[in-house]
Amino acid sequence: MADAHDAPNGGPRRGGERDQLSPEELAELHSVETREWLESLDYVLDSGGPERVTELIDLLEQHAHRHGVRTPFSSTTPYINTIPASEEPEYPGDLALEKRIRALIRWNAMAMVVRANKESDGIGGHISTYASAATLYEVGFHHFFRGPDAGVDADAVYFQGHASPGMYARAYVERRFDVERMRNFRRELQGEPGLASYPHPWLMPDFWQFPTVSMGLAPILSIYQARFDRYLVARGLKPEGDGKVWAFLGDGETDEPETLGAIKFAARERLDQLIWVINCNLQRLDGPVYGNGSIIQELEGIFRGAGWNVIKVAWGSKWDELLERDEDGILARRFNRLIDGESQRYAAFGARELRERFFDSPELQQLIEDWSDDDLAQLNRGGHDPVKVYAAYHRAVQHRGSPTVILARTVKGYALGEAAEGRNPTHQQKKLDVEEMRTYRDRLKIPIEDDQMVKFPFHRPEVDSPEYRYLKERRDALGGWTPRRVVNADVVEAPGPEFVDEFLEGTKEREVSTTMVFVSVLRKLLRDDTWGKLVVPIIPDEARTFGMEALFRQIGIYSSVGQKYEPVDKENLLYYRETESGQILEEGITEAGAMSSFVAAGTAYATHGINTVPFYIYYSMFGFQRIGDLAWLAGDMRAKGFMVGATAGRTTLAGEGLQHQDGHSHLLAMPIPNLLAYDPSFAYELAIVVREGLRRMYQEQESVFYYVTVGNENRVQPAAPEHLSREALEEGVLRGLYLFRPSGKKRARKHVQLLGSGAIMHEALQAAEILERDYGVAAHVWSVTSYKALHRDALDVDRWNRLHPGETPRKPFVHEALADAKGPIVAASDYVKMLPDALSRYAPRPIVSLGTDGFGRSDARAELRDHFEVDAKHIAYAALVALAGEGKLDEDDLVKARKALDIDPDKRNPHVA
Ligand SMILES: Cc1ncc(C[n+]2csc(CCOP(=O)(O)OP(=O)(O)O)c2C)c(N)n1
Ligand SMILES: [Mg+2]
């Protein structure tokens, strides 16, 4: 007997007696044995039902395991449809009429793209994505998707971005769009109304709800959308409804980490109203998604492993005939052997290829011996068969306990003809020649004459046609046209000016960080009758870092199942309190997930008519550079709310070093057009910004959102400066710049203007003291709350002046504010120099910029500020150099000052260090 260590499965080797048998005897034994086992199983199935079979298999497995048998793990099922033909529900629609409607939409989708490219060569667009997905969408439109008029039962549908020609074509057939609009596809600047390339609520605010075209974002957003809907119900903000969240994705899109990265969360939260439909056309842009394997089987394993309900829609109805004939399961085994690169050939080359290469054994050939090539051509993929698709959706909407993914097998470029179907370049095909158009027309039976073909005409049936009536009736029954973005959120009055009052007084002796000030602002809002319930604090596992743990107890952490355990810190006043009505979304370590929640909460005014106000508080370094694409999407989607970059500043977050210290998020905030960005230094600045944000977003209902950085350096928060009226102060704070501390030196000959922001403001104030005390310079200190606001204003003014020659030129705010200020202007922040540099041209005089360009370091604040040359002495020195440039100091004085200030001229340049 072999040594136990050599045994397969690691267990002791058994069954030695069979070694005595000849191969024939062994085969016979195996066959009898297998039959006996299967018969026993059949008996149990008949008498005890599937549950008993499952139980027995479980027990068998455990038994085998105890005896050292390791059954290999498999999360996949055979490569056949999850729903057998016998379990398909009856199709509730008129299949023939739906086919006509589908043909019309297919036609117009194609015509729209081809026409646009004829008008404007290279303008792009996609034909083959929708061609593969038409049935998946149309079954949804006719029988499932509930439109906005369904109210609380309305669905959220994430349409795959590259399939948008199909949605436009449908809107045209629905008579929501006219021909002019169709002609403006991808030609948005040619005329009104334009038709955006992809789903963009920014561009089409009455139509699109969810931007999807940056691949991977729709999947993760849809998960957090579904969870947020539950949260709204749990918090009593929304009545419970039956709305589903549908997300249509590409199979290539599953390569994106964002696509699969959060699926475990959807299962953990038991989001059974979430339904993903992955259009498995087996291709992405360049070629097959997984040519050497099967993407459907691979995805099945992943989703099942994560706890999802998986429904495979692989094969169309015609295959059922063969499966029925196939008593020995050879067809199912052949499916299991099939790899995607191979099956792409059948799509491209048709029935003969299928006959020769798929039915590759005498047994398989036998299955189709009486079948013609025409019969074989009807062996369709499941995703093109409305009956199969309906069965899958039907099961998905009824499924309880976990989210569902439908893996639908389709052909990319379906029905588009030889040049496109299943071919590798099909994704980018945007043109068909007249001959190809004719073939397509004939295939779809579109009543357009040959002589009309050259114009690539659109076609839709009359209002009293059976097609239109059917289509309209179906949509009326399902809550109206969709996609459709309807905003009916109430106006919410912003808190009054008194909201800011306490912050104007400063903190007297008490030293607090701006993060703690933010927490005070938040708590104040939470206590507010109107706003308290609307606030949604979102945190990716750093509440303690930001000193926010008191909120755990106060407002609770949302958990769909409450708290089933006694928390370890229950004795503690601030214990970790999870509750079903909790208000905090404690997302764990997922900035992408937390940002998805931000988007869901920030757009609830449009999705549900509920004005929730997200405050997403995170490590500022892991903001725009980590989830920049989602932030851009938030802008497109007109999300509202506050992104709060905490532990901000390259030199303010001490110790953490290169990957943590953020000195550029304000630069990254620059490009998002409807994002306002603030880097406040003081408590009252922050309070003013938050109140104004609430006013603009929820009272004026502007499509803007806010980015605010807060730091963790404790400082006495000053009272508002006395030399400014409240009005002037608020204007300065909001527009980005105001004089915080004018110099007390009345008759100085030398003046300098120091611009500080965020945590570096304190260095500027100290620099002013040095300059006044040791160098006789009157140093006036300004607070720059927003470089972005100043820059935007300057650009607007600049543009106006350019377009209005001969009229009195306007002055940018930064110019106006500093117009009477004397001497050089020196700006310092905890961010890159590009921020003040961007203003230089618009200020009365060029700005000397100090900033934190370069990688961070682990050290304390003083050392870091010296390293990056943004501390008081470097600011003072830079001011002296600028004064020398104006002839107010000579070079000897400078060298002396450099020495006195202990500045090493040979220190390494932090930019490259
Ligand atoms: C983040 C991102 N990367 C790249 C692209 C460019 N792109 C658009 S479609 C596409 C291929 C899509 O393949 P798949 O997801 O399988 O969709 P299909 O068109 O096959 O349905 C690519 C790479 C994109 N839109 N977004
Ligand atoms: Mg694909």
Side-chain angles (χ1 to χ4, degrees):
M1 205 152 156
D3 188 287
H5 295 289
D6 297 331
N9 287 326
R13 177 90 161 83
R14 298 269 175 75
E17 58 273 23
R18 294 196 186 199
D19 295 350
Q20 321 291 325
L21 301 177
S22 70
E24 293 75 26
E25 286 168 329
L26 193 62
E28 175 61 18
L29 176 65
H30 282 176
S31 155
V32 173
E33 199 174 53
T34 308
R35 207 169 43 243
E36 279 173 5
W37 276 79
L38 292 179
E39 279 168 11
S40 311
L41 201 75
D42 284 345
Y43 168 77
V44 179
L45 184 60
D46 284 345
S47 55
E51 287 81 35
R52 179 62 190 143
V53 173
T54 315
E55 196 181 340
L56 270 182
I57 292 176
D58 250 12
L59 287 170
L60 263 181
E61 196 175 335
Q62 286 174 32
H63 188 81
H65 198 270
R66 270 203 304 278
H67 290 83
V69 180
R70 300 284 175 263
T71 42
F73 170 75
S74 169
S75 55
T76 55
T77 63
Y79 194 2
I80 52 175
N81 291 343
T82 305
I83 304 174
S86 58
E87 289 179 23
E88 278 163 14
E90 194 158 329
Y91 197 78
D94 181 333
L95 281 166
L97 209 47
E98 289 186 16
K99 190 172 180 186
R100 288 275 318 128
I101 295 168
R102 215 159 51 235
L104 287 162
I105 296 171
R106 283 179 177 285
W107 173 263
N108 288 304
M110 179 281 301
M112 186 180 70
V113 176
V114 172
R115 194 175 195 290
N117 282 276
K118 194 170 168 250
E119 298 276 341
S120 180
D121 197 25
I123 202 73
H126 301 84
I127 306 175
S128 61
T129 299
Y130 180 71
S132 68
T135 305
L136 302 178
Y137 287 113
E138 281 304 299
V139 172
F141 278 117
H142 288 309
H143 304 289
F144 292 94
F145 304 157
R146 271 165 304 181
D149 304 340
V152 71
D153 294 326
D155 291 350
V157 186
Y158 291 72
F159 296 96
Q160 194 187 348
H162 303 85
S164 50
M167 308 322 130
Y168 293 153
R170 186 169 230 275
Y172 170 69
V173 175
E174 289 170 342
R175 297 183 172 263
R176 293 205 279 160
F177 287 178
D178 53 21
V179 173
E180 283 67 45
R181 189 147 197 185
M182 295 292 275
R183 285 191 189 131
N184 288 336
F185 174 61
R186 288 193 173 231
R187 304 174 74 243
E188 294 184 86
L189 303 176
Q190 308 291 319
E192 293 283 332
L195 209 43
S197 49
Y198 300 118
H200 295 303
W202 184 261
L203 303 171
M204 294 171 64
D206 301 328
F207 192 81
W208 294 118
Q209 288 182 287
F210 306 107
T212 50
V213 78
S214 178
M215 314 197 82
L217 301 192
I220 192 166
L221 285 169
S222 69
I223 292 175
Y224 284 84
Q225 178 71 54
R227 201 279 297 260
F228 190 70
D229 295 351
R230 291 268 172 92
Y231 166 92
L232 287 176
V233 173
R235 293 213 32 236
L237 292 168
K238 173 180 174 276
E240 188 153 8
D242 188 32
K244 310 283 177 203
V245 177
W246 299 82
F248 285 79
L249 318 172
D251 48 358
E253 188 169 10
T254 61
D255 291 343
E256 292 285 2
E258 288 91 340
T259 304
L260 299 179
I263 60 172
K264 72 163 189 191
F265 176 70
R268 186 196 288 171
E269 289 295 306
R270 303 164 69 86
L271 300 174
D272 51 19
Q273 88 278 36
L274 177 66
I275 301 166
W276 280 10
V277 182
I278 305 188
N279 176 17
C280 297
N281 54 26
L282 316 184
Q283 288 175 244
R284 43 183 166 74
L285 193 151
D286 282 340
V289 177
Y290 187 12
N292 291 313
S294 164
I295 185 67
I296 291 188
Q297 292 297 92
E298 182 182 60
L299 290 175
E300 177 187 38
I302 293 169
F303 280 93
R304 273 168 58 98
W308 283 53
N309 173 40
V310 179
I311 303 176
K312 288 190 286 193
V313 187
W315 316 102
S317 301
K318 187 77 179 168
W319 286 97
D320 291 335
E321 293 174 29
L322 293 184
L323 281 165
E324 218 161 277
R325 286 186 189 190
D326 173 32
E327 286 177 0
D328 300 329
I330 49 168
L331 190 55
R333 285 199 293 281
R334 176 66 184 101
F335 286 150
N336 277 351
R337 265 199 296 128
L338 182 62
I339 57 174
D340 292 351
E342 170 75 10
S343 61
Q344 196 185 337
R345 294 181 60 89
Y346 313 147
F349 304 132
R352 283 227 357 234
E353 186 87 359
L354 187 69
R355 181 187 294 283
E356 282 163 20
R357 298 177 66 124
F358 178 79
F359 295 94
D360 61 354
S361 71
E363 295 80 14
L364 284 164
Q365 282 290 338
Q366 209 182 343
L367 278 181
I368 52 158
E369 60 188 353
D370 52 347
W371 280 34
S372 67
D373 277 0
D374 281 349
D375 290 327
L376 286 183
Q378 289 175 42
L379 286 173
N380 221 347
R381 296 189 184 176
H384 298 302
D385 186 333
V387 174
K388 302 282 178 203
V389 173
Y390 179 83
Y393 291 3
H394 181 75
R395 186 169 283 193
V397 295
Q398 313 227 321
H399 177 77
R400 293 289 171 270
S402 58
T404 293
V405 62
I406 293 165
L407 303 171
R409 205 174 133 93
T410 63
V411 175
K412 191 147 179 168
Y414 184 68
L416 282 169
E418 272 179 20
E421 269 183 294
R423 303 292 170 141
N424 277 336
T426 189
H427 187 83
Q428 285 174 306
Q429 182 164 2
K430 322 183 180 311
K431 293 182 185 169
L432 297 185
D433 61 30
V434 174
E435 206 36 56
E436 290 166 329
M437 298 271 293
R438 281 203 194 113
T439 316
Y440 197 46
R441 174 202 61 185
D442 295 343
R443 182 160 181 181
L444 299 177
K445 301 195 178 64
I446 306 295
I448 299 176
E449 298 302 321
D450 270 357
D451 60 346
Q452 296 293 307
M453 290 300 291
V454 276
K455 293 189 186 159
F456 303 118
F458 300 113
H459 177 80
R460 63 185 171 191
E462 295 305 319
V463 180
D464 57 3
S465 62
E467 289 89 348
Y468 184 81
R469 275 189 281 136
Y470 183 85
L471 184 118
K472 176 88 167 53
E473 218 170 82
R474 293 309 310 144
R475 288 315 311 159
D476 285 348
L478 287 165
W481 303 130
T482 194
R484 188 160 41 112
R485 185 175 178 274
V486 183
V487 180
N488 51 19
D490 295 335
V491 166
V492 192
E493 290 286 317
E498 69 285 353
F499 182 84
V500 176
D501 288 353
E502 69 177 274
F503 300 97
L504 292 170
E505 290 164 15
T507 55
K508 317 284 188 293
E509 312 283 85
R510 208 160 51 91
E511 292 194 335
V512 294
S513 66
T514 44
T515 305
M516 288 326 299
V517 174
F518 165 71
V519 175
S520 305
V521 171
L522 192 66
R523 296 176 88 157
K524 197 174 168 80
L525 267 183
L526 285 166
R527 285 195 300 270
D528 187 284
D529 283 346
T530 310
W531 292 94
K533 57 182 183 301
L534 298 175
V535 167
V536 182
I538 304 168
I539 310 162
D541 198 35
E542 293 275 359
R544 291 178 202 283
T545 314
F546 311 139
M548 297 177 68
E549 61 269 40
L551 291 179
F552 291 163
R553 175 67 192 279
Q554 192 190 338
I555 52 173
I557 297 163
Y558 169 72
S559 154
S560 54
V561 294
Q563 194 155 38
K564 295 179 172 175
Y565 59 96
E566 184 164 332
V568 65
D569 52 357
K570 184 74 194 246
E571 300 310 309
N572 193 320
L573 201 62
L574 309 176
Y575 76 93
Y576 196 83
R577 187 168 76 94
E578 297 194 65
T579 150
E580 279 164 88
S581 59
Q583 191 161 357
I584 299 172
L585 291 176
E586 163 70 82
E587 301 294 23
I589 311 163
T590 165
E591 283 76 16
M595 190 62 193
S596 299
S597 280
F598 176 86
V599 170
T603 54
Y605 73 94
T607 323
H608 300 299
I610 301 167
N611 282 304
T612 39
V613 189
F615 284 87
Y616 169 31
I617 307 107
Y618 58 95
Y619 239 117
S620 78
M621 188 65 161
F622 306 130
F624 295 110
Q625 70 174 17
R626 179 86 189 207
I627 45 88
D629 209 14
L630 278 164
W632 180 258
L633 173 146
D636 179 0
M637 203 166 156
R638 300 166 180 262
K640 300 176 182 183
F642 296 88
M643 295 174 67
V644 182
T647 53
R650 186 104 68 207
T651 67
T652 304
L653 176 61
E656 289 291 314
L658 182 151
Q659 191 85 50
H660 282 71
Q661 292 160 344
D662 163 37
H664 50 273
S665 63
H666 277 285
L667 186 65
L668 302 181
M670 281 275 189
I672 302 177
N674 53 349
L675 175 72
L676 288 89
Y678 288 90
D679 182 22
S681 304
F682 305 129
Y684 62 82
E685 294 178 352
L686 185 61
I688 288 171
V689 169
V690 171
R691 182 172 90 93
E692 172 70 356
L694 294 173
R695 190 190 68 79
R696 287 186 63 177
M697 294 187 285
Y698 296 90
Q699 184 175 318
E700 302 305 323
Q701 303 203 319
E702 286 185 52
S703 292
V704 294
F705 65 127
Y706 281 70
Y707 176 53
V708 184
T709 40
V710 291
N712 61 356
E713 185 170 6
N714 291 331
R715 291 279 179 186
V716 167
Q717 298 296 326
E722 279 169 10
H723 70 277
L724 286 176
S725 69
R726 168 96 181 242
E727 214 174 27
L729 175 68
E730 294 210 358
E731 185 190 7
V733 169
L734 296 171
R735 296 188 72 177
L737 174 72
Y738 66 95
L739 181 58
F740 172 68
R741 197 171 76 192
S743 170
K745 273 192 173 320
K746 291 287 173 261
R747 282 191 295 278
R749 207 174 53 83
K750 295 182 283 239
H751 287 265
V752 37
Q753 313 299 326
L754 303 182
L755 276 48
S757 21
I760 298 304
M761 171 54 105
H762 296 276
E763 302 295 332
L765 288 166
Q766 264 181 293
E769 275 171 33
I770 296 172
L771 287 166
E772 300 202 339
R773 186 185 64 221
D774 300 340
Y775 298 93
V777 177
H780 311 268
V781 182
W782 300 70
S783 174
V784 179
T785 51
S786 177
Y787 278 105
K788 180 164 181 175
L790 293 171
H791 188 238
R792 271 298 300 268
D793 166 78
L795 294 185
D796 290 351
V797 169
D798 208 30
R799 174 175 178 275
W800 192 93
N801 289 343
R802 190 169 65 248
L803 297 177
H804 297 83
E807 296 184 45
T808 317
R810 295 175 180 175
K811 294 248 170 15
F813 182 72
V814 63
H815 188 107
E816 250 173 26
L818 292 164
D820 299 329
K822 292 181 235 160
I825 306 168
V826 179
S829 80
D830 223 357
Y831 290 86
V832 290
K833 295 175 184 130
M834 189 83 97
L835 296 173
D837 280 349
L839 290 181
S840 214
R841 188 159 78 81
Y842 307 103
R845 290 173 300 290
I847 296 176
V848 176
S849 301
L850 300 177
T852 57
D853 300 70
F855 282 128
R857 283 287 193 284
S858 317
D859 212 316
R861 290 188 185 113
E863 284 72 18
L864 288 169
R865 288 171 186 166
D866 176 48
H867 172 76
F868 282 107
E869 300 161 11
V870 291
D871 58 2
K873 63 180 193 288
H874 277 103
I875 297 173
Y877 180 66
L880 294 174
V881 174
L883 283 166
E886 288 186 358
K888 302 263 167 60
L889 246 82
D890 59 34
E891 278 172 9
D892 283 353
D893 295 332
L894 277 186
V895 175
K896 268 191 230 148
R898 192 180 68 195
K899 194 145 187 265
L901 289 165
D902 199 19
I903 289 173
D904 173 9
D906 300 320
K907 86 187 266 294
R908 287 175 73 190
N909 181 352
H911 193 170
V912 293

